[in-house]
Amino acid sequence: MTLCKGRTVIITGAGGGLGRAYALAFAEQGACVLVNDIRPAAAAAVVDEIVTAGGQALANSDDITSMAGAQHIVDAALAAFGEVHVLVNNAGVLADRMFTSLTETDWDRVMQVHLKGHFCLANLLGRRWRDLAKAGTPVDARIINTSSGAGLQGSIGQSNYSAAKGGVAALTLVQAAEMQRYGVTVNALAPAARTAMTEGAMPDVVKKPQDGSFDLWAADNVAPLVVWLGSSASAHITGQVIESQGGRLSLCDGWRTGETRDKGAKWDVAEIGAVLDDLIAASPAAQKVWGS
């Protein structure tokens, strides 16, 4: 199986859960994989699995939330494999509390890992791919971001995480629009799977079935989508946010201008309430916030 033969992939948070599943699946399809995780032993264990199966992989534990750390990651991949073709921004962290109980540390930590963690590597690789394209070198590169249902609909007790993941979805749209001219596609996932984060947040929901039935929450259910998006076959798809759980794939329908009432003149304050009531009544109901 060689869908990704000759391609090099950097995957963050790849020492377990979804990241591990992606790393193993990419390697199975012939890719060289840089396995990044802040836990060196976890990253090394995934690399051992890949190498034992005959693949090529490199463990790395540099910091994705700093430009210096991101540069070390890119340099390591280039030194080992010659080029980087795919970035999978997967690493994440939770600090769940009701909004009025959040601390500044809770907020900053989640924003640092999710939003800045999505920026640093993508910015460095984006510059590299842009410069190669401008110099006349063909580029066939991919950025695969990770959003969440919490970022798309909101989730009670996760306002920091929801805000960060909503930011990732918006970032994806802008990256896709700006980078397509350089041969780079950018898409995002909203995966639902059993990981250390979801087991900590909702253990009863994501537990593995004991009756041998299909495991909706298995992380490796999401991996085929990610590998295909990282392959050359996906060059025509960009700017999408895709939900994945079990055997289900869904395209997310993002913010767009909906029902409109135009008076053609300035509204009076007394008119606003009735107009908004009319607009809401004429519009499809939004999906409920998770947990509500």
Side-chain angles (χ1 to χ4, degrees), residues 126-161:
R127 292 184 198 181
R128 177 179 180 82
W129 294 328
R130 176 201 61 192
D131 293 346
L132 286 171
K134 286 186 173 183
T137 300
V139 174
D140 184 28
R142 307 283 181 269
I143 297 173
I144 302 169
N145 292 328
T146 304
S147 185
S148 166
L152 303 174
Q153 286 93 44
S155 178
I156 288 177
Q158 293 190 305
S159 56
N160 50 357
Y161 180 73

Side-chain angles (χ1 to χ4, degrees), residues 34-244:
L34 184 143
V35 177
N36 169 266
D37 200 287
I38 59 171
R39 303 163 299 170
V46 176
V47 168
D48 285 345
E49 286 188 74
I50 292 172
V51 172
T52 298
Q56 298 184 67
L58 175 70
N60 176 277
S61 294
D62 284 306
D63 181 10
I64 65 168
T65 70
S66 75
M67 293 300 281
Q71 188 66 64
H72 289 155
I73 296 168
V74 173
D75 289 346
L78 293 174
F81 306 123
E83 190 50 83
V84 178
H85 308 90
V86 184
L87 168 63
V88 182
N89 282 316
N90 169 74
V93 67
L94 293 177
D96 292 353
R97 287 180 176 79
M98 299 300 279
F99 178 70
T100 52
S101 297
L102 280 176
T103 67
E104 184 176 10
T105 299
D106 296 331
W107 185 268
D108 288 348
R109 181 176 177 227
V110 169
M111 295 299 163
Q112 183 84 357
V113 173
H114 290 280
L115 277 179
K116 193 174 181 186
H118 270 64
F119 166 76
C120 294
L121 277 165
N123 181 263
L124 290 173
L125 287 168
R127 292 184 198 181
R128 177 179 180 82
W129 294 328
R130 176 201 61 192
D131 293 346
L132 286 171
K134 286 186 173 183
T137 300
V139 174
D140 184 28
R142 307 283 181 269
I143 297 173
I144 302 169
N145 292 328
T146 304
S147 185
S148 166
L152 303 174
Q153 286 93 44
S155 178
I156 288 177
Q158 293 190 305
S159 56
N160 50 357
Y161 180 73
S162 296
K165 289 304 193 184
V168 168
L171 173 65
T172 298
L173 301 181
V174 178
Q175 288 174 320
E178 291 183 356
M179 300 183 71
Q180 188 168 20
R181 73 193 75 177
Y182 305 125
V184 182
T185 71
V186 189
N187 295 287
L189 313 169
R194 185 171 48 254
T195 67
M197 289 203 313
T198 56
E199 284 185 310
M202 47 183 187
D204 292 336
V205 174
V206 303
K207 63 184 177 183
K208 186 175 182 177
Q210 301 300 308
D211 58 3
S213 60
F214 178 53
D215 186 359
L216 286 172
W217 295 93
D220 58 8
N221 292 330
V222 185
L225 168 64
V226 180
V227 172
W228 188 84
L229 287 174
S231 75
S232 292
S234 67
H236 61 295
I237 292 179
T238 194
Q240 301 296 326
V241 180
I242 306 164
E243 290 184 285
S244 174

Side-chain angles (χ1 to χ4, degrees), residues 236-274:
H236 61 295
I237 292 179
T238 194
Q240 301 296 326
V241 180
I242 306 164
E243 290 184 285
S244 174
Q245 180 192 18
R248 175 179 62 85
L249 297 176
S250 304
L251 277 185
C252 297
D253 189 9
W255 291 105
R256 63 184 69 232
T257 302
E259 288 286 333
T260 303
R261 301 291 182 270
D262 186 353
K263 180 181 177 180
K266 181 180 178 180
W267 292 100
D268 186 91
V269 171
E271 298 174 303
I272 297 296

